[in-house]
Amino acid sequence: MIKNPAFYVNSELCTGCKCCVIACKDKHDLLDGVMWRRVIEYSGGEWLVTGNVFEQNVFAYYISISCNHCENPLCVKGCPTKAMQKDENGIVWVDQNRCVGCHYCEWNCPYGAPQYNEELGRMSKCDFCRDNLAKDEPPACVAACPSRALDFGGYEELQKKYGKHATIAPLPRPEMTTPHLIVEPNRHSKPQGSMAGTRGQLVSNPEEI
Amino acid sequence: MATKNTTQKKMDRRDFIKGSSLILSSMFLPFSIEILNPGEAPAAPAGGNGEITTFWNSCNVNCGSRCALRVHVQDGKIIQIETDNTGDDTYGLHQLRACPRGRSMRQRIYAEERIPYPLKRVGKRGEGKFERISWEQAYTELGQRLKKTIDEYGNEAVYLNYGTGALGSTMGKSWPPDATPVARLMNLAGGYLNHYSDYSTIQITIGMPYLYGGSWVDGNSLSDMENSKLAVFFGNNPSETRMSGCKCKTLQHARFTNNTRVIVVDPRYTDTIVSSGDEWIPILPGTDTALCAALAYVMITEDLVDISFIRRYTMGFDEESLPEGAEPGSSYKSYILGQGPDKTPKTPEWAAEITTIPVHRIQKLAREIALTKPCFICQGWGPQRTTNGENLSRAVGMLAVLTGNVGIAGGNTGAREASGQSLPMATFPTLENPVKTSVSCFNWFQAIEDHTWMTAETAGIKGRDRLIAPIKFIWNYASNCLTNQHGGINQMNPILQDEEKCETILVIDTTLTASARYADYLLPCCSNLEEHDWTADGDSNIAYVIFAEKCIEPLHESRGIYDICAGIAEQIGLKEEFTEGRTQYQWMEHLYDQSKKAVPDLPPTLEDAFKQGIYKKYFPENHIAYKAFRDDPEANPLDTASGKIEIYAPELAEYAKTWKLDKGQRITALPEHIDDPEGAQSPMQKKYPLQMVTYHYKQRTHSTYGNCSWLQEVSPQELWINPLDARARGIKHTQRVKVFNDRGVTYVEAKVTPRIIPGVVGLPEGAWHKPNKKGEDMNGCPNVLTRLQPTALAKGNPHHSTLIQVEKA
């Protein structure tokens, strides 16, 4: 079993199709409204209209993102019942016997990764498809990606494979949690902290996530 | 009629049992349907031992790809669907990964909107009242009606409507119409009225061959873009219209192998620009003809055209190369330079006002295209879906011609990329249609109303001078094109409701679509996961067959289309001829044996093939369209009268004189720009100032998958509107808006985004029509706003020639 598993997302290749989200929902039988993986859009730009002629500097790109199984997970730190924890392999998971569904983890996580399961009254989240990893198979999202934009592996090996990349908007500052996530920028990407999006530094598609 | 308001929660059918009748309603259903004698519900699958079995199957919808599914079944029920995980995903033998639609198939299979059992209309047509009948009664009565129609009106009164709900497979196949089991049955019964072309491509299908000849203009394979120094996509959007993992991989191969620069000309900043584009050139819909003319102007005046190519391979470029009989001043060069009848030079300044593209960008684009060789110039099928789409398709083609990019590696014809490799698998023999007459895929509805005026010259009738019978019997199999996907929904309603005109509408489908509302007989067809079949497809450098094994028993009382046709055949005394004594499975075995002769590497038996799941073959060579012609045009002439590329089309010059067109319509021998009567700069903009494009959306394939909540959640139906247009109307992101014109009203949420050009809104096609009591659509269905007037030459659907207004709901 891989230690400290991490996700790699190539925003250059991502078409925003959301197949990763659907594969995850199908495998884990997630309720409507719960998405352990989400695809965020960051887009913006302005139009200059001179008579009938237009100039513009529009940009757009997508980032597929789930739980990043962070080095310093704020969700674990802030969990009042110790239900949220990091297992021996570095996977962050919720112990359903301890969780009381208080949402603190969701609020503490800068990525909003943990999500509430209304039927169970508990929090739920990406478990990196631990059952797949045990069988030496990729997580459902990675295996599904029609664009081959997703990859996974031990954080250090993955860093060696893909190198380090600057964080792009609208992701939070990585210093907050040290996410096990490598995002390859899109050629249209803006740097972390950019306000150029349609909703400033927020995602442009809140209705889809 | 009892009705039930929609709610946002999923409903249980049992909630609607009132007295003895059953009312089916759900948040997705286009109309609520009342069944007077529902009886016992069909039995659910029997329990099992909890073991999980995995079957190979495929997703067979009309998206341009067919993808592999691994269907996990427990106790007769599908519990999860995965995709191709075979091999190491090397390009050429890469994995046929399904897109989010295929991965949502479980929701579509078990949807509440499945048709449970055969139904017969009892109320007025379109009212939604049905009674449950047995299959035997359905077969008997349909056999009688079919016979009666043929006896009274002849075979040309029986129409097979366009339908692509089951596409790519071998037996459970709804398209092309002449390759379906329905066609086999009708051919045995004396034939049927056919249609030509399809709603996706009719203007380019009919228009572009006047430039290159033949019946379909070929393109280089997309993979050949790896050899291009520049690619220019006119409205080509493979990342949204070719979403499969097979085609995604090809696009990446094409774009990233040699980092080919990609410029996309489109009203929307599409996901193709996100994933593959280097630059977006926004354009108003329908004005590509003006842009192309201005690009030609720059190339001609700056001496950038490939004149040796033009001399050797084309006719009609200048006055010297016009064919005999052509009027002086009717050459392409004369048109471009303003020396033709319109006396208007097609300068970048002229085009800037029409297209909104700045003069400097037009000039630069012309120089980039002309000087960067080879250049892959292509067009998607969105731009041609306008009133002047036939000319538009040729206008884009002209850029490839002017620059000599035809017939070479890294070049293209201006058409869409080639459809891909294929394997010579045997197909179900559907015999020959004794009737040769066809209408266009779009103007068939006029033959319900009044066929008597419809001739070759008035309505584009092919195979005969004129129609000899009205349409009295419609086979509508796996098709939502009676209304939802046809256009002008509110105007189609009275035509379809009139029981005196078309006497029988037979709808065969898995799902209660908006079109099913008009059925006289509504027969439940099983999905492809419920029967044995195979699907053959391919892409640039790969061809494959997916052997689709039956995963679960047919749901409710549904049956396969082969058995349904055999049932009706029996009633008209054609069972033996139709089946040749074979069951569907026996046909599959028979066709497999034939296929093995053509593709000897296939697994030994059909059973082995089902176990293997997928057979793939790598084709290393890229396809280069018209290479033989380029290499030796005298030995390999094109299929045109001159054997050359016909920039000036003599046949069109003839039609311009002889065809009877609607007021304002024109057919031109050159690929001229013609102002759209319902487009950019149209006077109608005073009332309806926004153009609407109905692009293909990742939530659905046309209307298929439109009832899957997973997909609605991640890709909700939204109206794209530019912040400038939204601000002027006080509309904020995610706010509900009313979209309307004289033809209809629809309500939908707004996506306020700079990713669409000002003056244009984008409303994805395929949303299920769901009218309220006032007849206003509540579900963002764009076809309540589109028009029924067919285009001049192709008689096709101009869905992107639609003006609307938007206001806060």
Side-chain angles (χ1 to χ4, degrees), chain A residues 25-26 29 33 41 54-55 62 145 147-148 186-187 207, chain B residues 81 89 95 97 106 245 252 271 274-275 277 356 713 718 751:
Chain A
K25 290 195 71 129
D26 184 36
D29 268 321
E41 174 189 338
F54 306 155
E55 303 262 10
Y62 299 102
C145 182
S147 297
R148 283 75 169 175
N186 184 290
R187 73 203 82 86
E207 72 279 15
Chain B
I81 293 181
D89 201 28
Q95 293 173 350
R97 296 189 188 181
R106 182 156 66 107
Q252 288 172 4
D271 291 339
V274 171
S275 64
T356 75
E713 190 175 43
E718 290 176 318
K751 177 184 172 87

PDB file of all heavy atoms in Angstrom, chain A residues 25-26 29 33 41 54-55 62 145 147-148 186-187 207, chain B residues 81 89 95 97 106 245 252 271 274-275 277 356 713 718 751:
ATOM      1  N   LYS A  25     -19.102   9.286  -7.447  1.00  0.00           N
ATOM      2  CA  LYS A  25     -20.471   9.177  -6.934  1.00  0.00           C
ATOM      3  C   LYS A  25     -21.038   7.784  -7.152  1.00  0.00           C
ATOM      4  O   LYS A  25     -21.728   7.234  -6.307  1.00  0.00           O
ATOM      5  CB  LYS A  25     -21.379  10.220  -7.617  1.00  0.00           C
ATOM      6  CG  LYS A  25     -21.076  11.639  -7.209  1.00  0.00           C
ATOM      7  CD  LYS A  25     -22.196  12.593  -7.601  1.00  0.00           C
ATOM      8  CE  LYS A  25     -23.421  12.381  -6.744  1.00  0.00           C
ATOM      9  NZ  LYS A  25     -23.937  13.612  -6.144  1.00  0.00           N
ATOM     10  N   ASP A  26     -20.726   7.210  -8.323  1.00  0.00           N
ATOM     11  CA  ASP A  26     -21.248   5.890  -8.660  1.00  0.00           C
ATOM     12  C   ASP A  26     -20.613   4.830  -7.759  1.00  0.00           C
ATOM     13  O   ASP A  26     -21.303   3.986  -7.204  1.00  0.00           O
ATOM     14  CB  ASP A  26     -20.948   5.594 -10.138  1.00  0.00           C
ATOM     15  CG  ASP A  26     -21.546   4.274 -10.613  1.00  0.00           C
ATOM     16  OD1 ASP A  26     -22.654   3.934 -10.155  1.00  0.00           O
ATOM     17  OD2 ASP A  26     -20.910   3.597 -11.436  1.00  0.00           O
ATOM     18  N   ASP A  29     -21.768   5.478  -4.096  1.00  0.00           N
ATOM     19  CA  ASP A  29     -23.206   5.678  -3.938  1.00  0.00           C
ATOM     20  C   ASP A  29     -23.516   6.953  -3.159  1.00  0.00           C
ATOM     21  O   ASP A  29     -24.276   6.932  -2.185  1.00  0.00           O
ATOM     22  CB  ASP A  29     -23.841   4.471  -3.225  1.00  0.00           C
ATOM     23  CG  ASP A  29     -24.338   3.459  -4.240  1.00  0.00           C
ATOM     24  OD1 ASP A  29     -24.875   3.871  -5.272  1.00  0.00           O
ATOM     25  OD2 ASP A  29     -24.160   2.242  -3.991  1.00  0.00           O
ATOM     26  N   GLY A  33     -26.139  15.990  -3.972  1.00  0.00           N
ATOM     27  CA  GLY A  33     -25.625  17.099  -3.155  1.00  0.00           C
ATOM     28  C   GLY A  33     -24.280  16.804  -2.522  1.00  0.00           C
ATOM     29  O   GLY A  33     -23.628  17.709  -2.016  1.00  0.00           O
ATOM     30  N   GLU A  41     -14.191  25.782 -11.740  1.00  0.00           N
ATOM     31  CA  GLU A  41     -13.852  26.593 -12.914  1.00  0.00           C
ATOM     32  C   GLU A  41     -13.320  27.928 -12.413  1.00  0.00           C
ATOM     33  O   GLU A  41     -13.872  28.512 -11.476  1.00  0.00           O
ATOM     34  CB  GLU A  41     -15.115  26.818 -13.755  1.00  0.00           C
ATOM     35  CG  GLU A  41     -14.908  27.771 -14.938  1.00  0.00           C
ATOM     36  CD  GLU A  41     -16.214  28.175 -15.640  1.00  0.00           C
ATOM     37  OE1 GLU A  41     -17.230  27.439 -15.518  1.00  0.00           O
ATOM     38  OE2 GLU A  41     -16.220  29.229 -16.295  1.00  0.00           O
ATOM     39  N   PHE A  54     -15.205  44.300 -30.929  1.00  0.00           N
ATOM     40  CA  PHE A  54     -14.880  43.915 -29.543  1.00  0.00           C
ATOM     41  C   PHE A  54     -13.423  43.484 -29.406  1.00  0.00           C
ATOM     42  O   PHE A  54     -12.884  42.796 -30.267  1.00  0.00           O
ATOM     43  CB  PHE A  54     -15.732  42.721 -29.091  1.00  0.00           C
ATOM     44  CG  PHE A  54     -17.225  42.887 -29.240  1.00  0.00           C
ATOM     45  CD1 PHE A  54     -18.038  41.759 -29.377  1.00  0.00           C
ATOM     46  CD2 PHE A  54     -17.826  44.136 -29.221  1.00  0.00           C
ATOM     47  CE1 PHE A  54     -19.409  41.879 -29.506  1.00  0.00           C
ATOM     48  CE2 PHE A  54     -19.212  44.266 -29.343  1.00  0.00           C
ATOM     49  CZ  PHE A  54     -20.003  43.134 -29.491  1.00  0.00           C
ATOM     50  N   GLU A  55     -12.827  43.844 -28.266  1.00  0.00           N
ATOM     51  CA  GLU A  55     -11.539  43.278 -27.844  1.00  0.00           C
ATOM     52  C   GLU A  55     -11.789  42.646 -26.475  1.00  0.00           C
ATOM     53  O   GLU A  55     -12.660  43.102 -25.728  1.00  0.00           O
ATOM     54  CB  GLU A  55     -10.472  44.363 -27.696  1.00  0.00           C
ATOM     55  CG  GLU A  55     -10.226  45.194 -28.941  1.00  0.00           C
ATOM     56  CD  GLU A  55      -9.020  44.736 -29.757  1.00  0.00           C
ATOM     57  OE1 GLU A  55      -8.466  43.648 -29.461  1.00  0.00           O
ATOM     58  OE2 GLU A  55      -8.653  45.470 -30.686  1.00  0.00           O
ATOM     59  N   TYR A  62     -10.000  24.756 -15.619  1.00  0.00           N
ATOM     60  CA  TYR A  62     -10.627  23.915 -14.597  1.00  0.00           C
ATOM     61  C   TYR A  62      -9.576  23.250 -13.716  1.00  0.00           C
ATOM     62  O   TYR A  62      -8.454  22.989 -14.163  1.00  0.00           O
ATOM     63  CB  TYR A  62     -11.450  22.801 -15.250  1.00  0.00           C
ATOM     64  CG  TYR A  62     -12.585  23.289 -16.115  1.00  0.00           C
ATOM     65  CD1 TYR A  62     -12.473  23.304 -17.510  1.00  0.00           C
ATOM     66  CD2 TYR A  62     -13.778  23.725 -15.552  1.00  0.00           C
ATOM     67  CE1 TYR A  62     -13.514  23.739 -18.309  1.00  0.00           C
ATOM     68  CE2 TYR A  62     -14.834  24.165 -16.349  1.00  0.00           C
ATOM     69  CZ  TYR A  62     -14.691  24.167 -17.721  1.00  0.00           C
ATOM     70  OH  TYR A  62     -15.731  24.597 -18.512  1.00  0.00           O
ATOM     71  N   CYS A 145     -10.721   9.278 -15.698  1.00  0.00           N
ATOM     72  CA  CYS A 145     -10.509  10.556 -16.402  1.00  0.00           C
ATOM     73  C   CYS A 145     -10.317  10.371 -17.910  1.00  0.00           C
ATOM     74  O   CYS A 145      -9.295   9.838 -18.363  1.00  0.00           O
ATOM     75  CB  CYS A 145      -9.315  11.292 -15.824  1.00  0.00           C
ATOM     76  SG  CYS A 145      -9.060  12.890 -16.635  1.00  0.00           S
ATOM     77  N   SER A 147      -9.563  12.546 -19.996  1.00  0.00           N
ATOM     78  CA  SER A 147      -8.460  13.414 -20.443  1.00  0.00           C
ATOM     79  C   SER A 147      -7.111  12.987 -19.900  1.00  0.00           C
ATOM     80  O   SER A 147      -6.112  13.640 -20.179  1.00  0.00           O
ATOM     81  CB  SER A 147      -8.717  14.853 -20.006  1.00  0.00           C
ATOM     82  OG  SER A 147      -9.863  15.338 -20.615  1.00  0.00           O
ATOM     83  N   ARG A 148      -7.101  11.959 -19.106  1.00  0.00           N
ATOM     84  CA  ARG A 148      -5.838  11.517 -18.467  1.00  0.00           C
ATOM     85  C   ARG A 148      -5.178  12.693 -17.741  1.00  0.00           C
ATOM     86  O   ARG A 148      -3.959  12.881 -17.793  1.00  0.00           O
ATOM     87  CB  ARG A 148      -4.859  10.935 -19.495  1.00  0.00           C
ATOM     88  CG  ARG A 148      -5.182   9.521 -19.953  1.00  0.00           C
ATOM     89  CD  ARG A 148      -6.348   9.474 -20.909  1.00  0.00           C
ATOM     90  NE  ARG A 148      -6.484   8.144 -21.529  1.00  0.00           N
ATOM     91  CZ  ARG A 148      -7.473   7.805 -22.332  1.00  0.00           C
ATOM     92  NH1 ARG A 148      -8.443   8.643 -22.611  1.00  0.00           N
ATOM     93  NH2 ARG A 148      -7.520   6.604 -22.844  1.00  0.00           N
ATOM     94  N   ASN A 186      -2.567  25.317 -16.215  1.00  0.00           N
ATOM     95  CA  ASN A 186      -3.062  25.449 -17.581  1.00  0.00           C
ATOM     96  C   ASN A 186      -2.347  26.653 -18.205  1.00  0.00           C
ATOM     97  O   ASN A 186      -1.894  27.541 -17.480  1.00  0.00           O
ATOM     98  CB  ASN A 186      -4.575  25.714 -17.508  1.00  0.00           C
ATOM     99  CG  ASN A 186      -5.235  25.788 -18.861  1.00  0.00           C
ATOM    100  OD1 ASN A 186      -5.030  26.734 -19.608  1.00  0.00           O
ATOM    101  ND2 ASN A 186      -6.042  24.792 -19.183  1.00  0.00           N
ATOM    102  N   ARG A 187      -2.261  26.678 -19.543  1.00  0.00           N
ATOM    103  CA  ARG A 187      -1.583  27.815 -20.187  1.00  0.00           C
ATOM    104  C   ARG A 187      -2.320  29.125 -19.955  1.00  0.00           C
ATOM    105  O   ARG A 187      -1.786  30.206 -20.173  1.00  0.00           O
ATOM    106  CB  ARG A 187      -1.361  27.537 -21.678  1.00  0.00           C
ATOM    107  CG  ARG A 187      -2.580  27.594 -22.565  1.00  0.00           C
ATOM    108  CD  ARG A 187      -2.403  26.791 -23.836  1.00  0.00           C
ATOM    109  NE  ARG A 187      -2.687  25.388 -23.552  1.00  0.00           N
ATOM    110  CZ  ARG A 187      -3.916  24.874 -23.588  1.00  0.00           C
ATOM    111  NH1 ARG A 187      -4.943  25.605 -23.955  1.00  0.00           N
ATOM    112  NH2 ARG A 187      -4.129  23.608 -23.268  1.00  0.00           N
ATOM    113  N   GLU A 207     -22.374  27.000  -8.456  1.00  0.00           N
ATOM    114  CA  GLU A 207     -23.589  26.194  -8.612  1.00  0.00           C
ATOM    115  C   GLU A 207     -23.285  24.758  -9.024  1.00  0.00           C
ATOM    116  O   GLU A 207     -24.159  23.896  -8.946  1.00  0.00           O
ATOM    117  CB  GLU A 207     -24.535  26.855  -9.627  1.00  0.00           C
ATOM    118  CG  GLU A 207     -24.108  26.786 -11.096  1.00  0.00           C
ATOM    119  CD  GLU A 207     -23.063  27.835 -11.502  1.00  0.00           C
ATOM    120  OE1 GLU A 207     -22.433  28.451 -10.625  1.00  0.00           O
ATOM    121  OE2 GLU A 207     -22.875  28.009 -12.724  1.00  0.00           O
TER     122      GLU A 207
ATOM    123  N   ILE B  81     -20.892   1.064 -12.530  1.00  0.00           N
ATOM    124  CA  ILE B  81     -20.423   0.972 -13.910  1.00  0.00           C
ATOM    125  C   ILE B  81     -19.036   1.590 -14.003  1.00  0.00           C
ATOM    126  O   ILE B  81     -18.846   2.757 -13.651  1.00  0.00           O
ATOM    127  CB  ILE B  81     -21.402   1.669 -14.877  1.00  0.00           C
ATOM    128  CG1 ILE B  81     -22.721   0.891 -14.903  1.00  0.00           C
ATOM    129  CG2 ILE B  81     -20.800   1.761 -16.273  1.00  0.00           C
ATOM    130  CD1 ILE B  81     -23.777   1.448 -15.828  1.00  0.00           C
ATOM    131  N   ASP B  89      -2.748   1.837 -21.989  1.00  0.00           N
ATOM    132  CA  ASP B  89      -3.270   3.125 -22.440  1.00  0.00           C
ATOM    133  C   ASP B  89      -2.330   3.828 -23.426  1.00  0.00           C
ATOM    134  O   ASP B  89      -2.392   5.047 -23.580  1.00  0.00           O
ATOM    135  CB  ASP B  89      -3.566   4.028 -21.214  1.00  0.00           C
ATOM    136  CG  ASP B  89      -4.566   5.142 -21.541  1.00  0.00           C
ATOM    137  OD1 ASP B  89      -5.391   4.926 -22.451  1.00  0.00           O
ATOM    138  OD2 ASP B  89      -4.511   6.200 -20.898  1.00  0.00           O
ATOM    139  N   GLN B  95      -7.216   3.343 -23.988  1.00  0.00           N
ATOM    140  CA  GLN B  95      -8.446   2.896 -23.333  1.00  0.00           C
ATOM    141  C   GLN B  95      -9.646   3.699 -23.831  1.00  0.00           C
ATOM    142  O   GLN B  95      -9.570   4.910 -23.995  1.00  0.00           O
ATOM    143  CB  GLN B  95      -8.291   3.031 -21.818  1.00  0.00           C
ATOM    144  CG  GLN B  95      -7.242   2.069 -21.273  1.00  0.00           C
ATOM    145  CD  GLN B  95      -6.945   2.292 -19.808  1.00  0.00           C
ATOM    146  OE1 GLN B  95      -7.364   3.272 -19.203  1.00  0.00           O
ATOM    147  NE2 GLN B  95      -6.195   1.357 -19.214  1.00  0.00           N
ATOM    148  N   ARG B  97     -12.204   5.019 -22.585  1.00  0.00           N
ATOM    149  CA  ARG B  97     -12.828   5.458 -21.334  1.00  0.00           C
ATOM    150  C   ARG B  97     -14.105   6.243 -21.601  1.00  0.00           C
ATOM    151  O   ARG B  97     -14.129   7.136 -22.444  1.00  0.00           O
ATOM    152  CB  ARG B  97     -11.852   6.343 -20.559  1.00  0.00           C
ATOM    153  CG  ARG B  97     -10.604   5.617 -20.126  1.00  0.00           C
ATOM    154  CD  ARG B  97      -9.797   6.484 -19.190  1.00  0.00           C
ATOM    155  NE  ARG B  97      -8.505   5.890 -18.903  1.00  0.00           N
ATOM    156  CZ  ARG B  97      -7.614   6.439 -18.088  1.00  0.00           C
ATOM    157  NH1 ARG B  97      -7.894   7.587 -17.488  1.00  0.00           N
ATOM    158  NH2 ARG B  97      -6.459   5.852 -17.862  1.00  0.00           N
ATOM    159  N   ARG B 106     -26.306   3.901 -15.060  1.00  0.00           N
ATOM    160  CA  ARG B 106     -27.126   3.228 -14.041  1.00  0.00           C
ATOM    161  C   ARG B 106     -28.378   4.065 -13.721  1.00  0.00           C
ATOM    162  O   ARG B 106     -29.474   3.524 -13.577  1.00  0.00           O
ATOM    163  CB  ARG B 106     -26.285   3.033 -12.773  1.00  0.00           C
ATOM    164  CG  ARG B 106     -26.969   2.308 -11.651  1.00  0.00           C
ATOM    165  CD  ARG B 106     -25.967   1.651 -10.732  1.00  0.00           C
ATOM    166  NE  ARG B 106     -25.120   2.572  -9.996  1.00  0.00           N
ATOM    167  CZ  ARG B 106     -25.249   2.827  -8.683  1.00  0.00           C
ATOM    168  NH1 ARG B 106     -26.211   2.256  -7.992  1.00  0.00           N
ATOM    169  NH2 ARG B 106     -24.406   3.638  -8.075  1.00  0.00           N
ATOM    170  N   GLY B 245     -13.154   9.293 -23.783  1.00  0.00           N
ATOM    171  CA  GLY B 245     -11.740   9.140 -23.490  1.00  0.00           C
ATOM    172  C   GLY B 245     -10.928   8.737 -24.694  1.00  0.00           C
ATOM    173  O   GLY B 245      -9.736   9.007 -24.774  1.00  0.00           O
ATOM    174  N   GLN B 252      -5.469  15.262 -27.671  1.00  0.00           N
ATOM    175  CA  GLN B 252      -4.217  15.578 -26.975  1.00  0.00           C
ATOM    176  C   GLN B 252      -3.005  15.178 -27.810  1.00  0.00           C
ATOM    177  O   GLN B 252      -2.018  15.910 -27.894  1.00  0.00           O
ATOM    178  CB  GLN B 252      -4.168  14.858 -25.631  1.00  0.00           C
ATOM    179  CG  GLN B 252      -5.124  15.463 -24.631  1.00  0.00           C
ATOM    180  CD  GLN B 252      -5.222  14.635 -23.365  1.00  0.00           C
ATOM    181  OE1 GLN B 252      -4.511  13.641 -23.203  1.00  0.00           O
ATOM    182  NE2 GLN B 252      -6.099  15.038 -22.476  1.00  0.00           N
ATOM    183  N   ASP B 271     -14.703  24.620 -23.976  1.00  0.00           N
ATOM    184  CA  ASP B 271     -13.753  23.786 -23.234  1.00  0.00           C
ATOM    185  C   ASP B 271     -12.620  23.294 -24.142  1.00  0.00           C
ATOM    186  O   ASP B 271     -11.591  22.840 -23.650  1.00  0.00           O
ATOM    187  CB  ASP B 271     -14.489  22.610 -22.578  1.00  0.00           C
ATOM    188  CG  ASP B 271     -15.399  23.097 -21.455  1.00  0.00           C
ATOM    189  OD1 ASP B 271     -15.158  24.212 -20.959  1.00  0.00           O
ATOM    190  OD2 ASP B 271     -16.347  22.381 -21.091  1.00  0.00           O
ATOM    191  N   VAL B 274     -10.161  25.877 -23.496  1.00  0.00           N
ATOM    192  CA  VAL B 274      -9.579  25.633 -22.181  1.00  0.00           C
ATOM    193  C   VAL B 274      -8.478  24.583 -22.277  1.00  0.00           C
ATOM    194  O   VAL B 274      -7.376  24.766 -21.773  1.00  0.00           O
ATOM    195  CB  VAL B 274     -10.665  25.164 -21.186  1.00  0.00           C
ATOM    196  CG1 VAL B 274     -10.039  24.701 -19.878  1.00  0.00           C
ATOM    197  CG2 VAL B 274     -11.680  26.269 -20.922  1.00  0.00           C
ATOM    198  N   SER B 275      -8.776  23.474 -22.954  1.00  0.00           N
ATOM    199  CA  SER B 275      -7.851  22.346 -22.903  1.00  0.00           C
ATOM    200  C   SER B 275      -6.851  22.318 -24.063  1.00  0.00           C
ATOM    201  O   SER B 275      -5.802  21.713 -23.941  1.00  0.00           O
ATOM    202  CB  SER B 275      -8.634  21.035 -22.884  1.00  0.00           C
ATOM    203  OG  SER B 275      -9.349  20.900 -24.085  1.00  0.00           O
ATOM    204  N   GLY B 277      -6.729  25.183 -26.736  1.00  0.00           N
ATOM    205  CA  GLY B 277      -6.625  26.404 -27.527  1.00  0.00           C
ATOM    206  C   GLY B 277      -5.541  27.345 -27.033  1.00  0.00           C
ATOM    207  O   GLY B 277      -5.289  27.444 -25.837  1.00  0.00           O
ATOM    208  N   THR B 356     -17.631  41.528 -35.558  1.00  0.00           N
ATOM    209  CA  THR B 356     -17.112  42.161 -34.322  1.00  0.00           C
ATOM    210  C   THR B 356     -15.610  41.956 -34.153  1.00  0.00           C
ATOM    211  O   THR B 356     -15.036  42.400 -33.167  1.00  0.00           O
ATOM    212  CB  THR B 356     -17.800  41.697 -33.018  1.00  0.00           C
ATOM    213  OG1 THR B 356     -17.327  40.386 -32.678  1.00  0.00           O
ATOM    214  CG2 THR B 356     -19.301  41.724 -33.098  1.00  0.00           C
ATOM    215  N   GLU B 713     -26.563  17.751 -11.514  1.00  0.00           N
ATOM    216  CA  GLU B 713     -25.899  18.388 -10.381  1.00  0.00           C
ATOM    217  C   GLU B 713     -24.556  19.011 -10.803  1.00  0.00           C
ATOM    218  O   GLU B 713     -24.262  20.145 -10.444  1.00  0.00           O
ATOM    219  CB  GLU B 713     -25.663  17.304  -9.334  1.00  0.00           C
ATOM    220  CG  GLU B 713     -25.197  17.779  -8.007  1.00  0.00           C
ATOM    221  CD  GLU B 713     -25.127  16.601  -7.031  1.00  0.00           C
ATOM    222  OE1 GLU B 713     -24.650  15.501  -7.412  1.00  0.00           O
ATOM    223  OE2 GLU B 713     -25.522  16.795  -5.899  1.00  0.00           O
ATOM    224  N   GLU B 718     -27.981  25.834 -17.984  1.00  0.00           N
ATOM    225  CA  GLU B 718     -27.748  27.253 -17.715  1.00  0.00           C
ATOM    226  C   GLU B 718     -27.749  28.033 -19.017  1.00  0.00           C
ATOM    227  O   GLU B 718     -27.355  27.515 -20.059  1.00  0.00           O
ATOM    228  CB  GLU B 718     -26.368  27.457 -17.070  1.00  0.00           C
ATOM    229  CG  GLU B 718     -26.254  26.948 -15.652  1.00  0.00           C
ATOM    230  CD  GLU B 718     -24.840  27.089 -15.083  1.00  0.00           C
ATOM    231  OE1 GLU B 718     -23.862  26.816 -15.803  1.00  0.00           O
ATOM    232  OE2 GLU B 718     -24.733  27.481 -13.920  1.00  0.00           O
ATOM    233  N   LYS B 751     -25.966  31.778 -16.355  1.00  0.00           N
ATOM    234  CA  LYS B 751     -24.539  31.717 -16.043  1.00  0.00           C
ATOM    235  C   LYS B 751     -23.943  32.996 -16.630  1.00  0.00           C
ATOM    236  O   LYS B 751     -23.824  33.132 -17.843  1.00  0.00           O
ATOM    237  CB  LYS B 751     -23.884  30.480 -16.669  1.00  0.00           C
ATOM    238  CG  LYS B 751     -22.360  30.400 -16.430  1.00  0.00           C
ATOM    239  CD  LYS B 751     -21.748  29.202 -17.172  1.00  0.00           C
ATOM    240  CE  LYS B 751     -20.225  29.203 -17.120  1.00  0.00           C
ATOM    241  NZ  LYS B 751     -19.658  28.558 -15.937  1.00  0.00           N
TER     242      LYS B 751
END
